[in-house]
Amino acid sequence: TSLLKLEGDSGSTQAGASGNAVQVKTGDDDTTALYLNTDRVGIGINAPTATLEVQQGSSGGVVAFKVDNDDVDKVAVSIEAANTTANVMDITADTATTGHVINITADALTSGSALYIDSDSASDTARSLVNIIQNNSGSSGGVPLRIQQDGTGDIMQVFDTTTEVFTILDGGNVGIGTASPGTWVASAG
């Protein structure tokens, strides 16, 4: 028995109770579009394994999850995690072959950063803010880090507090201890 049933030209939409869950089904194929339980929400799945799970079939034809934020001075997505030992975010893309796993486009960027990583930890424990690991020893073509500068600015700048200690200029000149190397490799000090 449905608690709510809406019918239109392209089939029907039903919302019904099943145990302690509410399921919203669309069309005549009995596919659950939205599943609400006491502690879980499923979109496109009727047995979510997380607090919120979105599942799109192989012929979905649209983006599975999208945030469209028009508020120019507010964060679009905020994750506040109390995790101490578990990862805050995991992305598994084991079948990705030619696409990008993360694609950041910031064409209107002026003085900000496309990616900003900041840690204010006072811990003396050895750690890294970024690890880039090509984890397959049989991969002969995998480059762990590639930097491309199409403009005329410096290719790379490395700072020790506020002192620039390593520089790669546009054109390839490398400076160690100097920000203005005049030759292929220049060292100061």
Side-chain angles (χ1 to χ4, degrees):
T1 302
S2 296
L3 298 177
L4 173 67
K5 182 175 182 180
L6 305 172
E7 293 189 17
D9 294 337
S10 60
S12 64
T13 299
Q14 299 179 7
S18 174
N20 60 357
V22 174
Q23 297 183 44
V24 178
K25 300 181 179 190
T26 59
D28 296 325
D29 62 357
D30 205 34
T31 301
T32 300
L34 178 65
Y35 175 91
L36 306 171
N37 200 325
T38 55
D39 61 348
R40 295 182 182 166
V41 176
I43 300 174
I45 185 168
N46 62 5
T49 59
T51 304
L52 171 63
E53 183 172 352
V54 178
Q55 180 175 331
Q56 175 171 258
S58 60
S59 60
V62 295
V63 176
F65 179 75
K66 179 179 180 178
V67 175
D68 188 350
N69 180 24
D70 292 331
D71 192 339
V72 298
D73 62 350
K74 295 296 178 192
V75 174
V77 176
S78 177
I79 299 173
E80 297 180 13
N83 305 42
T84 57
T85 57
N87 296 342
V88 173
M89 181 183 292
D90 280 333
I91 299 174
T92 302
D94 291 340
T95 58
T97 56
T98 58
H100 305 291
V101 174
I102 297 175
N103 188 14
I104 300 173
T105 302
D107 292 340
L109 191 64
T110 56
S111 60
S113 300
L115 178 63
Y116 181 80
I117 300 170
D118 184 359
S119 173
D120 193 23
S121 172
S123 172
D124 291 333
T125 305
R127 64 194 177 284
S128 301
L129 290 182
V130 177
N131 282 320
I132 301 173
I133 302 168
Q134 166 44 291
N135 214 8
N136 189 317
S137 61
S139 174
S140 62
V143 178
L145 178 63
R146 179 178 183 268
I147 299 173
Q148 177 176 330
Q149 165 62 295
D150 290 336
T152 58
D154 292 354
I155 297 170
M156 180 184 280
Q157 299 172 340
V158 178
F159 285 81
D160 182 358
T161 312
T162 58
T163 303
E164 192 169 350
V165 295
F166 183 83
T167 306
I168 303 176
L169 298 179
D170 181 48
N173 287 3
V174 175
I176 302 170
T178 177
S180 305
T183 58
W184 279 103
V185 178
S187 178

